Amino acid sequence: DYSKAIELNPKDYILYSNRGYAYDELKQYEKAIQDYSKAIELNPTGNWLYKSRGECYQALGDEAKAQADFKKAKKLGYKG
């Protein structure tokens, strides 16, 4: 359903974020990273997006990218 919604509203970062979360829950981290990255492109101040993408990078074992995203999330005010 998110894919169809994105087709209809390709500039809605929330749709990419939500689909990214769904992929994340399914442990499809590469797809989740793609969607979180697109959401970040559309909304670069979304601190939770960096945190979520960082968790995916961490799950894939890319600690450098994970830490960079966690740092950016914190800089943008993420408190989680």
Side-chain angles (χ1 to χ4, degrees):
D1 289 343
Y2 284 122
S3 296
K4 181 63 175 172
I6 287 169
E7 208 176 285
L8 298 171
N9 302 294
K11 295 188 187 243
D12 187 340
Y13 73 92
I14 294 293
L15 295 174
Y16 287 99
S17 174
N18 289 349
R19 188 174 70 177
Y21 178 77
Y23 283 136
D24 192 351
E25 289 293 302
L26 294 169
K27 299 187 183 337
Q28 295 181 18
Y29 301 118
E30 292 90 356
K31 288 181 177 181
I33 288 168
Q34 288 176 351
D35 278 350
Y36 288 138
S37 295
K38 183 62 178 180
I40 288 167
E41 178 186 318
L42 295 169
N43 179 27
T45 61
N47 58 28
W48 76 96
L49 298 168
Y50 292 95
K51 178 260 198 202
S52 296
R53 187 175 70 177
E55 289 174 344
C56 290
Y57 280 129
Q58 199 167 49
L60 292 173
D62 193 334
E63 199 60 37
K65 287 183 180 177
Q67 290 306 314
D69 273 355
F70 295 150
K71 183 178 178 181
K72 181 72 173 183
K74 186 174 180 182
K75 182 179 178 182
L76 291 171
Y78 187 80
K79 306 235 190 273

